[in-house]
Amino acid sequence: MVENKKSYTYNNCELDIYETHTAVQNISLKFDDFAFIGMIRGKKDLRIANKTEKFEYLPGESLIMLPGEEMIIDFPEADTTPSQCIALSIDSNFIKSTVDYLNGNFPKIDTASEWKFSDECFYLFNSPSLSSATNNILRIAVENNSAKDFMTDLALKELLIRIMQTQARKFFEMNYLHYKDVNRFAAIIAYIKNNIREKISVDALAKQAYMSKSNFFRAFKQEFGISPNHFILQERIVKAKSLLQNQLPVCEAAYQAGFSDANYFIKAFKEVEGITPKHFQRDVLLKKG
């Protein structure tokens, strides 16, 4: 099945890069350690045993696999489009020591929160920071450097932080309604979603969180890895995509998503999605047709 596999072993992790060129089904894969799986090219259909139904796994998406969990994988298009992915297995003691160090030396500004991994949020869309941290490990792997183990440990720590921040964001996006009355970040996300068409300032969000503006800004970025303004922009893009899928004109979708300027909306949309709103809408129509 795997026509090409490259492995790089370090003190606290093992990095495997897989390429699959043959269409096969029902391949079982397990990891003894915590594993971060990233899709680079091609497509897989997979399910996690006793956890999920089968779903498409595409480039730009990542999975967190716990020790002993089993993936059942199909490669439906590998004959024509080879599949490539990375699997980074990380020593559990290294993870624990990193999390303990962060909580002991860099505690969250919001004292109700702490650095931790979520068993629930195992399926992630790659943020720019998460992609950058992953690419950094890949870069170190192919370098000829005598300090590779030391450099890899530093890169691993960054990746672990980015994973925890990405998981925290996904957790609150999924559960903000349940926690909005008891958690300030859930309340902030609820406020942003409920007021997405309005002008939302960091001052207003800080008041909602009962924090000073500077503390709120730092706490938000520490929790989610992005600034409040960047989060608001991404929420507006998500709203706009939903409206465009329902065939609203571009200018109307921009207005209803909280953009006061259509030209800025088009520019921001292209920066986030890589295509213009009109192109996105046309692609949706082609898929439906």
Side-chain angles (χ1 to χ4, degrees):
M1 178 197 67
V2 179
E3 295 185 351
N4 186 21
K5 174 186 174 182
K6 294 181 179 179
S7 296
Y8 305 88
T9 302
Y10 305 100
N11 285 339
N12 294 298
C13 71
E14 178 178 310
L15 173 65
D16 296 316
I17 303 175
Y18 297 96
E19 283 191 3
T20 306
H21 295 253
T22 304
V24 289
Q25 293 183 326
N26 295 322
I27 302 301
S28 173
L29 184 62
K30 293 182 180 180
F31 296 91
D32 294 331
D33 294 311
F34 175 101
F36 174 75
I37 317 295
M39 193 68 176
I40 300 174
R41 186 176 71 240
K43 170 188 170 182
K44 297 179 183 179
D45 293 335
L46 66 82
R47 66 181 177 87
I48 302 174
N50 304 316
K51 195 168 187 177
T52 72
E53 299 295 327
K54 186 176 291 186
F55 60 91
E56 282 191 345
Y57 185 37
L58 301 170
E61 300 170 358
S62 299
L63 288 174
I64 305 297
M65 298 294 296
L66 300 179
E69 284 189 326
E70 180 184 22
M71 290 192 294
I72 311 298
I73 313 168
D74 297 342
F75 298 86
E77 301 174 0
D79 284 336
T80 55
T81 306
S83 168
Q84 186 180 54
C85 73
I86 64 166
L88 185 66
S89 302
I90 308 174
D91 180 73
S92 59
N93 290 325
F94 180 82
I95 294 174
K96 184 179 185 306
S97 67
T98 300
V99 173
D100 289 346
Y101 182 84
L102 288 169
N103 282 320
N105 295 276
F106 301 98
K108 295 287 185 74
I109 295 168
D110 179 11
T111 55
S113 185
E114 65 178 358
W115 295 101
K116 63 181 179 180
F117 286 93
S118 167
D119 294 344
E120 180 180 349
C121 300
F122 57 88
Y123 176 72
L124 306 173
F125 289 100
N126 292 350
S127 63
S129 58
L130 186 56
S131 296
S132 177
T134 305
N135 290 335
N136 193 30
I137 290 177
L138 287 170
R139 176 185 58 79
I140 293 170
V142 299
E143 284 183 347
N144 184 16
N145 192 312
S146 60
K148 269 190 177 183
D149 278 315
F150 178 76
M151 295 172 66
T152 301
D153 283 354
L154 293 177
L156 274 178
K157 290 175 181 178
E158 180 190 358
L159 178 63
L160 293 174
I161 290 172
R162 301 302 187 186
I163 291 172
M164 285 186 279
Q165 289 173 331
T166 306
Q167 284 189 320
R169 176 180 169 181
K170 181 167 185 177
F171 175 83
F172 284 116
E173 286 181 331
M174 291 169 53
N175 300 289
Y176 71 93
L177 287 174
H178 181 73
Y179 291 102
K180 64 184 179 67
D181 295 326
V182 295
N183 183 281
R184 72 178 80 206
F185 290 117
I188 290 301
I189 290 177
Y191 180 86
I192 291 171
K193 288 180 178 291
N194 290 336
N195 295 276
I196 200 66
R197 293 180 60 173
E198 311 300 327
K199 184 176 180 179
I200 304 173
S201 69
V202 176
D203 285 319
L205 297 179
K207 289 179 181 178
Q208 289 286 323
Y210 300 99
M211 300 174 75
S212 70
K213 181 179 178 180
S214 59
N215 274 351
F216 168 73
F217 189 93
R218 289 188 295 118
F220 191 98
K221 193 165 185 179
Q222 185 184 54
E223 188 73 20
F224 300 128
I226 58 175
S227 70
N229 289 328
H230 192 186
F231 182 89
I232 293 167
L233 174 63
Q234 292 190 340
E235 285 296 304
R236 294 195 197 283
I237 296 295
V238 169
K239 177 67 174 178
K241 286 171 66 176
S242 175
L243 296 168
L244 290 168
Q245 288 173 333
N246 290 324
Q247 303 309 308
L248 258 70
V250 170
C251 288
E252 181 64 20
Y255 171 74
Q256 291 197 27
F259 292 93
S260 57
D261 183 278
N263 290 328
Y264 171 68
F265 165 64
I266 293 169
K267 179 182 177 181
F269 191 98
K270 189 172 182 180
E271 286 179 355
V272 173
E273 296 295 325
I275 57 176
T276 64
K278 201 68 180 174
H279 193 171
F280 172 83
Q281 198 170 53
R282 185 166 63 246
D283 287 350
V284 170
L285 279 172
L286 287 173
K287 289 178 181 178
K288 288 182 177 179

